[in-house]
């Protein structure tokens, strides 16, 4: 059975927003009830039209990642739902694309886990509800900005419907504990930053200036660390590292008294869903695991 033309639009939009994805990830996001071959046929057709290109991920040649061509990116850039989303940097060749794949696909895999979990729970999390690399500058230099892997939009269902926002970081075990600490400290600095204009700095009105994050959010987004592509033992050590950073840095500890934060293994997230008790609260290493929205 042929896919409707709006699926073409949705697939191209997703590749613009997420940069790259596998056929299976696109199937889960957009056509979960369809067979895998239907999405692969759709992608081959889009390739014939010059909108997408693919790169082989394995020597066997059966697993491929898909990305937009310059022509496809130019078309997707006119889609209203992508307003404000930066145009994806196009790889110079397939080797360049292959070298960038690991982290990008881990982020998309994380989002498919949230989307699938939301469907199963009767919640709302749409295919484009993870905005990659949202940039927030609050100071000078390289350390004066936070760039999460994604800003997640999620709504729990039922009569007590609640909207959530979360900064999602996907850790594949490639960064040391110092870099993890720097990320948490950066978010703590962003949380505390008050951009006081020069003419108010020596007046009592300086105390009335709102923190920088309230220019963008009603509530500071949750901090969700997703641990991917490592063994369970290594992932558990990463959780212990995060707990140590949370307890050992005063700025981070203060932030965590006001901001919900947790860490979970991607495999657990995929198996049980984001609302299951798979998240370790960063503010209290002795507290039992809980759902993402119960942190």
């Amino acid at each position: 059975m042929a896919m409707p033309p709006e699926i073409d639009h949705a697939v191209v939009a997703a590749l613009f927003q997420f940069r790259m994805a596998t056929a299976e990830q696109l199937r889960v996001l957009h056509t979960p009830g369809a067979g895998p071959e239907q999405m692969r046929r759709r992608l081959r057709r889009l390739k014939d039209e010059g909108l997408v290109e693919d790169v082989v991920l394995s020597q066997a040649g059966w697993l491929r990642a898909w990305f937009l061509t310059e022509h496809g990116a130019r078309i997707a850039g006119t889609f209203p739902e992508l307003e404000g989303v930066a145009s994806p940097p196009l790889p110079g060749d397939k080797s360049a694309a292959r070298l960038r794949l690991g982290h990008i696909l881990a982020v998309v895999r994380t989002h498919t886990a949230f989307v699938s979990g939301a469907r199963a729970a009767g919640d709302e999390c749409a295919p484009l509800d993870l905005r990659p690399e949202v940039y927030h500058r609050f100071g000078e230099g390289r350390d004066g900005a936070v760039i999460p892997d994604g800003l997640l939009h999620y709504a729990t269902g039922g009569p007590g419907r609640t909207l959530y926002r979360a900064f999602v970081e996907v850790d594949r075990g490639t960064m040391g504990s110092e870099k993890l600490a720097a990320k948490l400290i950066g978010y703590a600095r962003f949380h505390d930053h008050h951009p006081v204009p020069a003419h108010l700095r020596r007046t009592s009105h300086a105390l009335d200036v709102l923190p920088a994050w309230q220019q963008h959010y009603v509530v500071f987004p949750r901090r969700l660390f997703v641990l991917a592509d490592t063994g369970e033992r290594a992932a558990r050590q990463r959780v212990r590292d995060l707990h140590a950073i949370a307890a050992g840095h005063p700025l981070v500890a203060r932030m965590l008294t006001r901001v919900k934060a947790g860490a979970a293994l991607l495999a657990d997230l995929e198996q049980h869903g984001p609302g299951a008790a798979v998240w370790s609260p960063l503010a209290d290493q002795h507290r039992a695991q809980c759902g993402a929205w119960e942190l």
Side-chain angles (χ1 to χ4, degrees):
M1 182 173 65
M3 292 186 190
E6 55 265 26
I7 299 300
D8 287 357
H9 181 105
V11 167
V12 170
L15 290 177
F16 186 97
Q17 179 151 309
F18 297 117
R19 306 339 191 193
M20 299 181 192
T22 67
E24 176 60 14
Q25 288 173 336
L26 293 167
R27 184 195 70 81
V28 172
L29 288 175
H30 300 294
T31 59
E37 184 55 33
Q38 288 181 276
M39 181 57 73
R40 287 194 286 266
R41 283 200 303 268
R42 174 59 56 188
L43 287 164
R44 289 194 292 267
R45 204 168 298 134
L46 290 172
K47 182 177 180 178
D48 290 342
E49 295 173 11
L51 297 174
V52 305
E53 188 54 84
D54 65 317
V55 59
V56 176
L57 299 182
S58 66
Q59 292 180 348
W62 60 272
L63 185 60
R64 298 170 182 268
W66 297 83
F67 56 92
L68 294 182
T69 63
E70 184 176 351
H71 178 50
R74 189 164 54 249
I75 291 174
T78 67
F79 293 175
E81 67 269 36
L82 296 173
E83 183 179 359
V85 178
S87 178
L90 300 175
D93 53 40
K94 291 191 177 185
S95 295
R98 191 179 293 109
L99 291 173
R100 298 174 52 221
L101 275 174
H103 187 74
I104 293 174
L105 293 184
V107 172
V108 181
R109 183 180 158 199
T110 297
H111 187 47
T112 61
F114 276 99
V115 172
S116 296
R119 287 180 184 138
D123 295 338
E124 298 175 22
C125 188
L128 296 182
D129 274 350
L130 183 78
R131 176 85 173 270
E133 299 179 353
V134 175
Y135 185 90
H136 290 304
R137 174 156 290 284
F138 59 88
E140 298 297 326
R142 186 177 60 182
D143 298 329
V146 293
I147 313 172
D149 287 324
L151 171 64
L152 178 73
H153 295 238
Y154 194 103
T156 53
R161 185 174 185 270
T162 305
L163 302 176
Y164 293 98
R165 301 291 179 267
F167 289 135
V168 178
E169 292 285 353
V170 179
D171 174 22
R172 300 174 59 233
T174 56
M175 67 176 76
S177 295
E178 288 186 2
K179 193 167 183 180
L180 272 179
K183 280 184 173 288
L184 272 174
I185 294 167
Y187 282 104
R189 289 178 59 210
F190 176 49
H191 178 264
D192 272 13
H193 180 63
H194 289 67
V196 181
H199 69 282
L200 293 180
R201 287 175 187 168
R202 296 181 180 275
T203 73
S204 60
H205 295 291
L207 300 175
D208 300 328
V209 176
L210 293 176
W213 62 265
Q214 286 193 342
Q215 298 175 16
H216 309 279
Y217 308 104
V218 176
V219 176
F220 196 86
R222 292 170 184 239
R223 297 288 298 104
L224 300 180
F225 281 88
V226 178
L227 309 171
D229 299 340
T230 63
E232 182 172 351
R233 181 178 178 182
R236 300 297 179 197
Q237 180 58 53
R238 304 297 272 180
V239 175
R240 288 192 288 271
D241 290 344
L242 286 165
H243 278 138
I245 296 162
H249 194 283
L251 200 60
V252 174
R254 187 167 72 220
M255 176 186 70
L256 293 179
T257 63
R258 304 170 186 169
V259 177
K260 311 298 184 182
L265 277 63
L266 179 52
D268 290 342
L269 188 61
E270 290 175 320
Q271 182 176 355
H272 303 291
V278 298
W279 297 90
S280 298
L282 296 189
D284 183 357
Q285 62 180 314
H286 301 295
R287 185 182 162 196
Q289 289 185 323
C290 61
W293 321 124
E294 300 165 351
L295 288 164

